[in-house]
Amino acid sequence: MKNVLLIASEAVPFIKTGGLADVAGSLPKYFDKTKFDVRVMIPKYTCIPWEYREKMVYKTHFYIDLAWRTQYVGVFELEWNGVIFYFIDNEFYFGGNKPYSWIHEDIEKFAFFSKAALSALPVLGFRPDIIHCNDWQTGLIPVYLKERFSQGEFYQGIKSIMTIHNLKFQGIWDLKKVKDITGLPDEYFTSDKLEAYDDANYLKGGIVYADRVTTVSETYAEEIKTPFYGENLDGLMRARANVLSGIVNGIDYDEYNPETDKRIANNYNQITFRKEKWKNKVALQKELGLTEDKGKFMIGLVSRLTDQKGLDLVAYVMDQLCAEDVQFVILGTGEERYENMFRHYDWKYNDRVSANIYYSEDMSHKIYASCDAFLMPSLFEPCGLSQLMSLRYGTVPIVRETGGLKDTVEPYNEYEGKGTGFSFANYNAHEMLSIVNYAKDVYYNHKREWNKIVDRGMKTDFSWNSSARKYEDLYNSL
Ligand code: ADP
Ligand code: GLC
C-alpha cells in the first residue's frame, strides 16, 4: 500500500476558482484503493460553503512559528466520495470571501499553509510515502521537506512531486521579505534554488527540490522548455527535463454526465443526442432572452476572462463572430476590459449574444449541454478542462492547437471522416474566424457530418481512468 497526500490550494466541491480544483477534487477518487491510499489537504477557507464546513470534524491543533509570530494551526477532516480530505484552519490567513488576494498576502498565506501541512503529518497518524504538490502555492513544501523536515526521522524518505498546472503563476515576491516569512536561511536564495531574477520564487523552489515534476499535458511539458511558453523558467525546465513528464488531465465523468446531470433541462446520451440535445438549447435561449430557434448555431464560452484564454483574438473579430446566423453565450469573470467588451456586445446584439459575467456551476453545465460549439482559442493552455466537458456533452470544441487542447481535440478532416473538433495553429484572429466559419458551414450545410463529429467526440474517453493509471505508475516509480 502506498500512501499519498495531494496538497493544493483548492479542490471541488469545497472551493474552486479554476481547473486546479477540478483536478485536486476528482483525481483522488480514481486510484486503485487496494494499492493506494490517496488523501487530499487544502486550506479551511471561511468562504467554503457552510454545508461542507459544518460537516468537517476537528482532529487536532498546535502552533507553529512563522514570520516572527506564533500561529495557530487547526486540522479538520471530512470524507467525501470515499476520499479523506484534511483542512488546515487559521482564520487570520484563510478568512475573507475568496481564496486568493494580493500576492504579498498570498505569499505569507501559503508559506503558512506549506509549513502547517508538513507539521500536521506526525499528529494525523498518516505518513505519506509521497507528497503530491500542485502549483506555486505548494512550492515551498518540497523545499521545507528536503531542507528542514528531513532531519526528523518521521520525514525521512518522503518523496515529493511538483505538478505544474500553470507556469504563468509562480509566487514571486521580494527576496528579503520571503526570507523573513519562510525562515529559510540565506543559502536557499541563490539562483540555483529559490531565487530567480533577484526575487524569490516559490514555484521554482518546488521544481528544484521535488523528486519528480509533472505538468498536465504532454504537449505543455514540451512547450515549457521553450522561451515562448517557459515564463522565464524554460532554462530550469530544460535542466529538469530528466524528471519532467506530462500527464493529461481527465474530468469527473459522474459529475459531468449529460445522461444524469440534474442541472440541465433535458438529459441525453451518445445515442439520443440527435433527438434530445436541442431541447437544452431552446431552454437556455428562453432563460437568457435569446431568439428561440433550435436550428441556430450556438457557440459557448466558459472561462476565466484573461489573456491566457485568447480573448484578445475574440475581441478583435467580435462583430464578425456575432453574425446573424450565430448565437454566442459567454460565462466568465476576470479582467474588466473583457467583461465590458462582452457586456457591450450583449447590448449591441441583444437577440443573439448573452454575456453572463458571473460564476455559476449551474450555468456552466447548461452551456456545455446546450451549445453546438465551444470556443477556446487559448494563447497557452496547460491542459484545459472545458474542452473535455464540451466533448462529453456533445458540444464541438473549436480550439487553438496548443498544450492540452492539441492533445485532446482531434481536428476534423472532411476527407477521411475523422476528428472531434476544429482547430487552428497560429495565434491570429482571422485564422480563428475562418475556422469558426468553417465549423458553421459544416453545421448548416453538412448536418450528417456534424453529427458524426459530435458522435466521435462523445465516444472519446477523458475520464480519469487512463490518467490515474499514469499517476499510479509515477507513484510506483518513486
Ligand atoms: P483554467 O483552470 O485555466 O481556468 P480549465 O479549462 O482547466 O481552465 O478549467 C476551468 C474550469 O472552471 C472549468 O471547470 C470551467 O467550467 C470552470 N469555469 C470557468 N469560469 C467559470 C464560470 N464563470 N462559472 C462556472 N464555471 C467556470
Ligand atoms: C490550470 C490551467 C488549465 C488546466 C488546469 C488544471 O488552471 O490553466 O489549462 O486544465 O490548471 O490542470
Side-chain angles (χ1 to χ4, degrees), residues 19-20 23 165-166 216 249 304 308-309 381-385:
L20 169 62
V23 174
H165 296 262
N166 195 335
V216 288
N249 286 331
R304 291 183 292 116
Q308 173 190 341
K309 302 296 177 179
E381 197 60 73
C383 179
L385 301 175

Side-chain angles (χ1 to χ4, degrees), residues 9-45:
S9 56
E10 46 183 277
V12 291
F14 310 106
I15 184 88
K16 165 169 165 179
T17 70
L20 169 62
D22 290 303
V23 174
S26 64
L27 168 62
K29 282 204 295 187
Y30 291 86
F31 289 99
D32 178 349
K33 294 215 166 43
T34 64
K35 299 195 179 99
F36 297 89
D37 184 351
V38 181
R39 306 186 184 186
V40 183
M41 187 177 270
I42 64 170
K44 185 172 179 280
Y45 302 107

Side-chain angles (χ1 to χ4, degrees), residues 140-432:
L140 287 179
I141 290 175
V143 184
Y144 278 137
L145 186 63
K146 273 252 165 66
E147 300 301 329
R148 192 173 265 227
F149 290 89
S150 70
Q151 288 145 20
E153 208 183 307
F154 177 89
Y155 296 96
Q156 259 160 35
I158 298 182
K159 304 283 185 192
S160 63
I161 298 173
M162 186 78 234
T163 293
I164 302 166
H165 296 262
N166 195 335
L167 193 58
K168 176 117 189 149
F169 304 110
Q170 300 176 1
I172 298 172
W173 193 242
D174 181 73
L175 203 105
K176 219 176 135 290
K177 298 219 170 74
V178 172
K179 267 187 207 170
D180 278 354
I181 292 168
T182 59
L184 288 163
D186 287 358
E187 69 243 41
Y188 301 111
F189 295 90
T190 54
S191 62
D192 58 339
K193 295 182 181 134
L194 275 166
E195 185 264 346
Y197 306 95
D198 300 330
D199 283 320
N201 185 315
Y202 281 22
L203 183 64
K204 184 177 179 191
I207 295 169
V208 168
Y209 281 93
D211 296 290
R212 292 282 191 287
V213 180
T214 74
T215 182
V216 288
S217 69
E218 285 179 18
T219 293
Y220 194 60
E222 291 306 314
E223 286 173 339
I224 55 179
K225 292 180 218 161
T226 68
F228 184 81
Y229 292 101
E231 304 288 347
N232 290 326
L233 292 184
D234 49 297
L236 175 66
M237 300 321 305
R238 290 194 295 276
R240 296 293 276 152
N242 57 331
V243 297
L244 169 67
S245 62
I247 300 178
V248 74
N249 286 331
I251 55 169
D252 189 335
Y253 266 35
D254 301 326
E255 178 69 22
Y256 295 94
N257 182 354
E259 205 166 3
T260 54
D261 194 334
K262 293 196 176 61
R263 305 179 204 250
I264 66 178
N266 194 57
N267 292 116
Y268 57 95
N269 60 29
Q270 223 180 86
I271 296 153
T272 60
F273 76 86
R274 286 179 181 79
K275 285 211 192 91
E276 301 293 331
K277 184 171 159 47
W278 66 268
K279 293 175 187 164
N280 289 294
K281 188 199 282 186
V282 175
L284 189 65
Q285 288 167 332
K286 199 173 191 145
E287 180 175 348
L288 299 178
L290 299 170
T291 307
E292 286 174 45
D293 178 352
K294 70 173 190 162
K296 199 108 186 225
F297 185 57
M298 185 189 271
I299 304 175
L301 188 152
V302 177
S303 182
R304 291 183 292 116
L305 304 180
T306 66
D307 285 335
Q308 173 190 341
K309 302 296 177 179
L311 297 170
D312 50 342
L313 299 188
V314 176
Y316 199 70
V317 293
M318 192 65 184
D319 276 298
Q320 292 99 304
L321 274 177
C322 304
E324 264 179 61
D325 53 357
V326 169
Q327 287 184 345
F328 196 3
V329 179
I330 297 107
L331 174 66
T333 59
E335 285 170 35
E336 220 171 321
R337 62 192 165 120
Y338 293 130
E339 294 188 345
N340 290 336
M341 184 272 288
F342 285 126
R343 283 193 188 105
H344 169 77
Y345 281 96
D346 179 316
W347 165 81
K348 186 169 176 187
Y349 301 120
N350 199 253
D351 59 330
R352 55 183 194 264
V353 176
S354 172
N356 303 277
I357 309 302
Y358 52 81
Y359 188 95
S360 159
E361 212 60 53
D362 280 349
M363 183 52 76
S364 75
H365 283 238
K366 287 180 194 170
I367 293 175
Y368 293 125
S370 304
C371 292
D372 299 295
F374 187 87
L375 184 60
M376 202 164 169
S378 305
L379 173 62
F380 68 94
E381 197 60 73
C383 179
L385 301 175
S386 295
Q387 83 281 12
L388 304 181
M389 294 160 186
S390 300
L391 288 168
R392 176 81 166 143
Y393 282 82
T395 297
V396 177
I398 304 175
V399 303
R400 191 171 90 83
E401 290 155 20
T402 184
L405 298 173
K406 189 171 172 186
D407 294 353
T408 57
V409 177
E410 188 193 351
Y412 173 54
N413 182 320
E414 61 184 44
Y415 306 104
E416 294 177 16
K418 278 190 180 155
T420 56
F422 293 82
S423 63
F424 62 103
N426 296 305
Y427 196 71
N428 175 300
H430 286 100
E431 220 174 294
M432 176 188 74

